[in-house]
Amino acid sequence: MVESSKGRGNARRILNSSSQRVTAQRALLLELLRHSSRHVDADDLYRRARKKNSRISLSTVYRNLQLFKKLGLIEEHHFDEEHHHYEVKSGTEHQHLLCTSCGKVVEFACPVSWKLRRDIGKQYDFDITGVEVRMTGLCPSCRSKENKTIPDRS
Amino acid sequence: MVESSKGRGNARRILNSSSQRVTAQRALLLELLRHSSRHVDADDLYRRARKKNSRISLSTVYRNLQLFKKLGLIEEHHFDEEHHHYEVKSGTEHQHLLCTSCGKVVEFACPVSWKLRRDIGKQYDFDITGVEVRMTGLCPSCRSKENKTIPDRS
DNA sequence: GTAATTGCAAACGCTTTGCCCGTAT
DNA sequence: ATACGGGCAAAGCGTTTGCAATTAC
């Protein structure tokens, strides 16, 4: 896979170019972030990292997530109430649709948000720096499951 | 104000009608929620409540916030990463605009969200249950402050 | 060599819970 | 009378921090 070697190169380049030291842990975490499902939490990442380096610590994961966030490599989301989710920043603007039952996250394009941003900014005299649209609902597969498993709602 | 006597009556009625006991603490909290600024956190509410009843405990505040949420009286928001904010449910649909500097919360109407809801729901075959639009930015007064207090950006 | 980074464990802030006593019904 | 709700203190959770040892530069 050309992808993965490229990814590793990128990790190193990104860290170097921001004059951050390239440690094994950092390279690993960056690598994992780039190749895992788009939305992870600290513990996900920690568990995955331990498979490759069993001595890595949770605090290292947290510290580096903060670093990556500061470097603008990832974004932090507060989807549910409990803990944070992280997502590698992609060029493409998108919003999130979450299934309240299985937690699945779907990304969707939302061009309207730009118009909204302009309009609301002007209306309230704010310098808008971000727009987030979050929709919640039941995904197709959870909907059909629910129809089967809750036959008696007496 | 007629509003306030009505409010107290409502608190009692609401609790009674859902067969919850009307305790002094519940009535007080409900009262405070209805008459304080629209977005509070548990500690805000706790501090306010203590002024009227110095023996009330923080856990009572939390327990009742959960109850009120379950009864559909209030909504829980996760504006910033730290803690939750609560808002008395109003009939009118609205979205939130937050100042990243002073934390001010502005509510705005967003009729587009309905169209969005329909469109995205259909597109991804989700049963949409909620749409949240959150914008962040700098409010007018913080913007002008910033211009004054950061003259040297050498 | 030296400053940045790690692992560990302890602390953190917000929230929840167990227990026993008090109170609304 | 009795089950529900309260106060208190302790535990829980995800996250952060202090520190000594380690590592990249």
Side-chain angles (χ1 to χ4, degrees):
Chain A
M1 279 182 175
V2 185
E3 254 289 58
S4 104
S5 60
K6 225 194 245 171
R8 186 162 288 134
N10 272 339
R12 175 157 257 109
R13 191 172 332 124
I14 287 163
L15 290 173
N16 273 325
S17 69
S18 48
S19 64
Q20 302 295 331
R21 294 193 173 172
V22 181
T23 64
Q25 294 90 328
R26 270 183 197 162
L28 172 58
L29 291 174
L30 222 36
E31 192 71 1
L32 288 173
L33 280 169
R34 307 180 107 259
H35 295 93
S36 50
S37 74
R38 296 198 22 85
H39 301 89
V40 274
D41 59 35
D43 208 61
D44 281 346
L45 191 55
Y46 175 53
R47 271 194 305 264
R48 278 176 223 222
R50 282 182 71 146
K51 289 182 185 160
K52 294 271 186 174
N53 170 356
S54 60
R55 298 189 35 72
I56 198 169
S57 82
L58 188 53
S59 25
T60 297
V61 173
Y62 275 110
R63 278 193 277 236
N64 281 310
L65 281 172
Q66 300 239 103
L67 174 67
F68 299 157
K69 185 170 55 156
K70 200 166 61 187
L71 295 181
L73 301 176
I74 59 174
E75 264 173 8
E76 195 180 68
H77 295 288
H78 333 294
F79 287 150
D80 42 37
E81 23 261 321
E82 329 157 358
H83 55 329
H84 302 158
H85 284 233
Y86 299 88
E87 161 180 20
V88 178
K89 262 193 194 168
S90 72
T92 56
E93 202 97 20
H94 62 264
Q95 302 300 338
H96 296 105
L97 168 55
L98 293 92
C99 176
T100 49
S101 174
C102 67
K104 186 191 301 170
V105 181
V106 175
E107 301 177 352
F108 63 92
C110 186
V112 196
S113 66
W114 283 99
K115 181 177 167 15
L116 210 53
R117 182 189 185 118
R118 238 188 314 111
D119 292 353
I120 300 296
K122 186 184 274 183
Q123 184 174 350
Y124 294 97
D125 192 21
F126 265 60
D127 284 344
I128 306 292
T129 52
V131 184
E132 238 181 287
V133 179
R134 167 149 71 265
M135 302 187 41
T136 48
L138 214 53
C139 75
S141 77
C142 286
R143 189 197 313 133
S144 51
K145 263 180 218 146
E146 198 158 90
N147 288 339
K148 282 173 201 151
T149 50
I150 314 183
D152 55 328
R153 44 174 73 243
S154 48
Chain B
M1 270 188 158
V2 186
E3 255 292 59
S4 103
S5 60
K6 225 193 246 171
R8 184 161 289 132
N10 271 338
R12 175 158 257 108
R13 191 171 334 123
I14 288 164
L15 291 173
N16 272 327
S17 69
S18 47
S19 62
Q20 302 296 330
R21 295 194 174 170
V22 181
T23 65
Q25 294 91 326
R26 272 182 193 164
L28 172 58
L29 292 174
L30 222 36
E31 193 70 3
L32 288 173
L33 280 170
R34 308 181 108 259
H35 294 93
S36 49
S37 74
R38 297 199 19 87
H39 302 89
V40 274
D41 59 34
D43 207 62
D44 281 346
L45 190 56
Y46 175 53
R47 272 194 304 264
R48 277 176 222 224
R50 283 183 69 150
K51 289 182 185 160
K52 296 271 187 176
N53 170 356
S54 59
R55 299 189 35 73
I56 198 170
S57 81
L58 188 52
S59 26
T60 298
V61 173
Y62 275 108
R63 277 193 275 237
N64 281 310
L65 281 172
Q66 301 238 104
L67 174 67
F68 299 157
K69 185 171 53 158
K70 199 166 62 188
L71 295 181
L73 301 175
I74 60 175
E75 265 173 8
E76 195 180 68
H77 295 288
H78 334 292
F79 286 150
D80 43 36
E81 23 261 322
E82 329 155 356
H83 54 330
H84 302 158
H85 283 234
Y86 299 88
E87 161 181 20
V88 178
K89 261 194 195 168
S90 71
T92 55
E93 203 95 21
H94 62 265
Q95 303 299 338
H96 296 106
L97 169 55
L98 292 92
C99 176
T100 48
S101 174
C102 67
K104 185 191 302 168
V105 182
V106 175
E107 301 176 352
F108 63 92
C110 187
V112 195
S113 67
W114 282 99
K115 180 177 167 16
L116 210 53
R117 181 189 184 117
R118 239 189 312 112
D119 292 354
I120 301 296
K122 185 184 274 183
Q123 183 174 351
Y124 295 96
D125 192 20
F126 265 61
D127 284 346
I128 307 292
T129 52
V131 183
E132 237 182 288
V133 179
R134 169 148 72 265
M135 302 188 40
T136 48
L138 214 54
C139 73
S141 76
C142 286
R143 189 196 313 133
S144 50
K145 264 180 218 147
E146 200 158 89
N147 288 339
K148 284 173 199 151
T149 50
I150 315 183
D152 56 328
R153 44 174 71 240
S154 46

